[in-house]
Amino acid sequence: MSPRMRKASDRTFSSLKIRNYRLYFVGQLVSVSGTWIQWVAQTSLIVYTLHKGGVVLGIATGLQFLPMFVGGMWGGIIADRYDKRTTLIWTQALQAVLAGLFGALVLAHVIQVWQIYVLAFLFGVVTVVDMPARQAFVSEMVGSAEVPNAVALNSAMFNSGRLAGPALAAILIKVFHGTGPAFAAVIIALWLMRPEELQRAPIAPRARGQLREGLAFMRKSQVLKDTLFVITIVATFGFNFTIVLPLMAKTNFHGGVGIYGLLSSIMAIGAIGGGLVVAGRKKPTMRYLIATGLAFGTAELIAAYMPSIALEAILLIPVGATSMMFLATANSTLQLSSPAIMRGRVMAVYSLLFVGGTAVGGPAAGWVSQTFSPRMGLAFGAVLSIVASGILWIRARNERVGRRGGARVVPITETSAMGDIAGDTPAPAAR
């Protein structure tokens, strides 16, 4: 390997040099595999084993996301009030128990629809606490300087789990009769960490009004408002591939689940590449966030009208890559633009918007696809993604024109968190 390539490789995987994060990364890779197979197993059980229709499947999905709608911000408060490593050990243990119970009911052939509903809801309750704590814990393992790299590698890891997950989890199910051990891998990783090497965030004292305090802080920070705005639109309307791609595979390409699986896998490969590209960057900027949002919308819009499966597959590579570049940059921006004591609440809003987008954008994409065509369903989300990113680009451009002298791109850092970050200026000082 040449010195230049070695330097690039070291930069791309720099956060993996940190022992605590390396343990966490491996544990999460196994856990993500378990999560994917858990989702597939639940869907297959409802549709193919219990022979239920879309209503039952929709209710089960809704119940899993309902707790995040109702109590998402409270999960952020818990993440800020308690030690995140300890919190994650408990949430992963509860997820392992629920996964084990699900597997036991299936193997005993006594599983019923109401039991699926209860388990889906309980899994959602645990996720309310787990998701913001997991997002905010990244900075404690690696420090602010490595947050962009660690977040990008997490994105690549998530999609690696999406590809390898079914095969790996199938082995777990065969050997252990359930996906519980997949969640146990994270518990082991967290337990083996060296607590003294963590850069622990200060614990928010128990007090009244902490929910209002978090929302007020986000309203005052222009960078947070801009980032959350574009995440809301892109995640809600642009990320509905699980709804639109199956319809395109059937309606436009006259195929079935095999074509859908192929397209999804190819897009995941692109997403892994996009995550690695962002991992090679030192700091996120608002300019890069806007650029990746525009690139994602443009690639998705072109992909919507590809006439053949081969061309569609080719275009889904940049769609997957730009989607992960956008998400990783947005995640890093939020984490580095919020103070450590507030990060759990900020990342709870991110989780709420990202998860909530599925419930709002999914039916919208489904309606457009059914009323007009699946291609229109994909184009609908692409256009809105371009518009949202374009709004931020126009405002940033106007602000640059209004300032005297030349502007330079300033990275978002935790110490620069209270200024105006639209365009190329520093972030306001404050996952």
Side-chain angles (χ1 to χ4, degrees), residues 35-85:
T35 300
W36 275 105
I37 200 65
Q38 181 86 0
W39 179 265
V40 172
Q42 177 177 296
T43 302
S44 300
L45 179 68
I46 292 173
V47 176
Y48 301 114
T49 303
L50 299 179
H51 303 290
K52 302 298 180 180
V55 173
V56 172
L57 185 60
I59 293 174
T61 303
L63 286 172
Q64 191 159 333
F65 290 131
L66 179 62
M68 184 63 76
F69 280 118
V70 177
M73 281 295 293
W74 295 105
I77 292 176
I78 292 174
D80 285 335
R81 281 185 181 176
Y82 299 98
D83 179 78
K84 296 175 182 61
R85 174 172 169 265

Side-chain angles (χ1 to χ4, degrees), residues 234-246 300 357-358 361-363 365 378 381:
V234 175
T236 299
F237 300 105
F239 278 55
N240 293 306
F241 306 110
T242 56
I243 294 173
V244 178
L245 285 185
E300 186 177 36
T358 302
L378 199 62

